[in-house]
Amino acid sequence: MTLAGEREPRCDGDLGAAGPGGPAGPGARRGRGGTAVVGDSAAAHDTPGGTTTAPDPDEVFTDGPEIDTKTRPKKDEPTEDSSADDAGPEESAGSRRGRRGRGLWALARRHPAFSVIIATAALVRVIAMLGYQPVMFFNDSFDYLHVATDPYPHPLRPDGYAFLLWFLKPFHSFALVAGLQHLMGLGMGVMIYALLRRRFRLPGWGAALAAAPVLLDAYQLQLEHLVLSDTMFTFLVMSAVTLLLWRDRPSWKIAAAVGLLVGMAWLTRSVGMPVLVGVLVYMLIRRSGWRLLAVTVAACMLPVIGYMGWYKAESGKFALTESNGIFLYARVYKFADCHQMKDLPVSEYPLCTEPENRLKTSQFGIWSVQSPLNRYTGTRFSPDNNALASDYAKRAIIAQPLDYLGVVAHDFLRVFRWDRTVFPDPATYAQYEFRTTSRPLPDWHMDGNSIASAEARAYERGDARTRVVEPFAGVARGYQDVFYLRGSMLGVVLLIGLAGLAGMWRRFGGEALLPWTLATGLLLAPAATAEFDYRYVLPAVPLAALAAGIAFRPASRATFRGWTRRLRRRGDGPEREETPAPERPAPRDAAEVPA
């Protein structure tokens, strides 16, 4: 029996259970008339005023005992804290360090599963930094470095990541770049755990399990150690999702922060534009209101329009890049048949290629010296070439829609294969692995006066070539051989998230709709606009894991239990019909009918 305003303790891992202070424990607040009101996000609901009842953050991350006012010391009585303050500076500083140490230990004891996982994740990142010093490079790394050396709007990709390198340039340390990206990876794991524990009421082991893929996946770890934009992009998207899901109804400040983060992600990778669409659709379904939608769009477009204005001032065109049409050409390169395209302009004839003359993969349609794009004079990523390639690709898609859907489906399903195969070629695949040796820095001419290796050495102010240091490098290689999320496992994670959407179908999937659709969209976008690449898979992993975790929130579990009971009742129906209860004989006249 419970009093008004109280609730009974729960045994399903709900953190709102009664604590030392009774049912209205440390996480409770007082309502009118002294009634205890306990926040429960699982039962949070919208009100006409747009306010919600949300749990106090301390309800999840603090478990301290309730203060006993009867034993509270008087003003004149000395306390442990006051004695520490009256002590000398050395003793006071030591006392503070001791309290911080005890606080961290208490925090770890309250979250044991997650503490073990994140400590392991931090350890393997330290091993990677010791084994491959100061950082690892990908082919694209030197474009980012070139922009960071002398900023200009790059025609191939936006400069968001190059701005980060430019900001860190005064420190002249690639190790600092790698360390910051590893902290981003750890931060994404913390976001997943905090959301699932605080907002969606999962038990500690369940939330820790959802955070494990991004924290422990060896290829995620190696991607963080590369000079590449993917880690920064994923961190920005996860930060925006975390802010948007932290409360049932975001304030205008939160909406502005979400829009700004999505805008920065858009400037980091062009696929950030679909992320904005996903965020706006989610807010529309959740009935956030047109004001919050407008604030989100305005905050997102502020950095994007500013960058496009810079691009116009430098190149004369109001755009982000000059590469979208060329990448789309790479998508259609393997199936485009000029004989099926009607009224193809003569200027696009050089892009036609007979099947027997096509290169091995779609990416070679851009980067190979034998690419049809090299039949045009001038810079490959020029406005004219981009316009020609875009028009050609659209004509091919319209003329051969089934072929286009076939290559998109093929690359999308490649994500979920159990084994990682060498793709698109051995040289590119090797850059996603911890290797026994490192490549020398390339001597590519970035422009008339710049060489890639020289710019890397200038950024580091020393030898920037990756040094393989044993035994740490061997440990990293051995770890990568075993601990990684296989494609089939990612497919299972997505299916779990989809089941969670089905359980909340009356609310259009609930909060899981946002991370699940973003994860699926980030996997589908490269397959639809360019070609499959292993590095494009990893940004979807933390979002998919978050959506799968939300599927196990208390409200979803209750829905699935209800479905199970209905199925059992339906299954028991035929057995009851085989042995019906005996019928009472009908009364002969009205006088025999009981009153």
Side-chain angles (χ1 to χ4, degrees):
M1 178 176 180
T2 58
L3 300 177
E6 298 180 352
R7 60 176 182 175
E8 298 179 358
R10 295 162 59 180
C11 301
D12 59 352
D14 185 0
L15 297 178
R29 58 185 177 86
R30 309 301 297 182
R32 292 185 178 181
T35 304
V37 182
V38 181
D40 187 352
S41 63
H45 59 277
D46 301 342
T47 61
T51 59
T52 58
T53 302
D56 188 29
D58 295 338
E59 189 176 341
V60 174
F61 297 106
T62 60
D63 294 326
E66 186 179 20
I67 297 176
D68 188 358
T69 56
K70 294 181 181 180
T71 60
R72 180 179 296 170
K74 297 180 181 179
K75 294 182 179 179
D76 297 335
E77 293 181 356
T79 61
E80 182 180 353
D81 293 339
S82 62
S83 62
D85 293 338
D86 294 338
E90 295 182 359
E91 184 179 354
S92 179
S95 177
R96 287 195 295 270
R97 285 194 296 269
R99 286 198 299 271
R100 284 196 295 269
R102 290 192 297 270
L104 290 175
W105 175 244
L107 185 66
R109 292 182 62 185
R110 287 198 298 272
H111 308 278
F114 182 71
S115 298
V116 171
I117 289 176
I118 198 167
T120 304
L123 177 62
V124 295
R125 282 161 172 80
V126 170
I127 291 174
M129 293 189 67
L130 293 175
Y132 293 87
Q133 302 178 19
V135 78
M136 298 176 70
F137 295 96
F138 194 79
N139 289 339
D140 298 347
S141 303
F142 303 99
D143 280 337
Y144 295 118
L145 282 174
H146 184 58
V147 174
T149 301
D150 186 13
Y152 72 100
H154 199 285
L156 177 57
R157 54 182 65 88
D159 289 347
Y161 181 68
F163 290 154
L164 175 65
L165 297 179
W166 173 82
F167 180 77
L168 298 177
K169 183 181 175 181
F171 298 96
H172 297 287
S173 173
F174 280 119
L176 176 62
V177 175
L180 181 59
Q181 292 181 172
H182 286 311
L183 288 177
M184 291 180 185
L186 295 175
M188 288 186 281
V190 172
M191 292 179 205
I192 295 173
Y193 183 80
L195 265 176
L196 294 179
R197 286 284 276 160
R198 190 260 186 196
R199 180 75 167 86
F200 300 108
R201 321 298 288 171
L202 260 68
W205 65 267
L209 184 63
V214 70
L215 289 175
L216 300 180
D217 183 272
Y219 286 95
Q220 170 68 35
L221 166 65
Q222 197 267 347
L223 188 67
E224 294 170 12
H225 206 59
L226 285 166
V227 180
L228 274 180
S229 62
D230 300 73
T231 300
M232 177 179 172
F233 170 79
T234 312
F235 178 78
L236 291 171
V237 173
M238 275 300 302
S239 299
V241 171
T242 301
L243 283 178
L244 198 54
L245 297 184
W246 193 252
R247 295 188 180 276
D248 190 67
R249 289 277 185 169
S251 64
W252 71 267
K253 295 180 180 179
I254 295 297
V258 169
L260 188 60
L261 287 168
V262 173
M264 294 168 62
W266 190 350
L267 293 181
T268 304
R269 279 187 56 192
S270 299
V271 76
M273 189 271 288
V275 172
L276 173 63
V277 175
V279 167
L280 294 179
V281 170
Y282 172 79
M283 295 179 68
L284 187 63
I285 291 175
R286 297 287 294 173
R287 299 180 181 180
S288 299
W290 68 268
R291 291 184 178 86
L292 291 183
L293 286 169
V295 169
T296 304
V297 172
C300 176
M301 297 308 298
L302 184 63
V304 173
I305 292 178
Y307 182 88
M308 295 173 72
W310 182 41
Y311 197 101
K312 180 176 176 59
E314 294 289 332
S315 65
K317 185 177 180 181
F318 195 71
L320 285 176
T321 64
E322 290 291 355
S323 61
N324 57 325
I326 293 176
F327 279 107
L328 191 59
Y329 168 75
R331 176 70 289 176
V332 306
Y333 171 75
K334 293 295 292 182
F335 69 83
D337 185 356
C338 292
H339 300 292
Q340 299 188 38
M341 301 183 201
K342 297 180 180 180
D343 303 324
L344 184 67
V346 176
S347 58
E348 298 177 16
Y349 281 2
L351 297 176
C352 298
T353 305
E354 294 299 325
E356 61 272 13
N357 297 327
R358 288 173 185 160
L359 301 171
K360 184 178 180 180
T361 66
S362 295
Q363 293 186 21
F364 290 169
I366 300 178
W367 307 112
S368 174
V369 294
Q370 302 177 14
S371 169
L373 292 169
N374 287 333
R375 298 169 185 170
Y376 295 100
T377 59
T379 306
R380 179 175 302 178
F381 293 97
S382 64
D384 292 338
N385 287 354
N386 188 56
L388 288 171
S390 178
D391 185 73
Y392 177 89
K394 292 174 183 177
R395 290 175 182 272
I397 293 172
I398 294 173
Q400 301 170 259
L402 295 181
D403 292 329
Y404 172 70
L405 293 176
V407 296
V408 171
H410 178 270
D411 275 12
F412 180 71
L413 294 177
R414 185 193 290 270
V415 172
F416 308 112
R417 294 182 179 181
W418 179 260
D419 294 321
R420 289 175 66 99
T421 58
V422 177
F423 185 87
D425 59 84
T428 302
Y429 183 81
Q431 297 179 69
Y432 298 131
E433 300 272 338
F434 289 118
R435 310 295 291 183
T436 56
T437 59
S438 64
R439 299 186 308 162
L441 297 176
D443 290 330
W444 303 330
H445 286 272
M446 308 305 296
D447 55 29
N449 302 317
S450 303
I451 298 177
S453 58
E455 290 187 337
R457 287 191 292 268
Y459 191 94
E460 180 72 10
R461 278 193 180 173
D463 185 12
R465 178 176 177 174
T466 304
R467 299 184 299 278
V468 181
V469 181
E470 302 293 350
F472 305 105
V475 174
R477 291 192 300 271
Y479 184 84
Q480 192 174 38
D481 290 339
V482 179
F483 295 98
Y484 64 93
L485 186 71
R486 294 180 178 269
S488 302
M489 297 178 182
L490 177 58
V492 172
V493 172
L494 283 172
L495 288 177
I496 294 174
L498 182 61
L501 294 182
M504 303 295 291
W505 67 272
R506 294 182 183 274
R507 299 174 56 198
F508 299 97
E511 291 85 349
L513 177 68
L514 178 62
W516 193 89
T517 53
L518 290 182
T520 306
L522 289 176
L523 294 175
L524 189 60
T529 60
E531 190 180 32
F532 169 84
D533 197 301
Y534 282 112
R535 60 181 280 206
Y536 298 151
V537 175
L538 294 175
V541 170
L543 294 165
L546 176 60
I550 296 175
F552 291 95
R553 62 185 301 183
S556 299
R557 296 201 303 267
T559 300
F560 286 120
R561 285 195 294 266
W563 288 358
T564 303
R565 287 193 296 268
R566 294 192 197 100
L567 291 174
R568 288 177 180 174
R569 286 197 295 267
R570 291 179 182 178
D572 295 340
E575 298 180 1
R576 294 179 180 177
E577 292 177 1
E578 292 177 1
T579 56
E583 298 181 0
R584 293 182 58 187
R588 297 181 179 179
D589 51 40
E592 296 180 359
V593 177

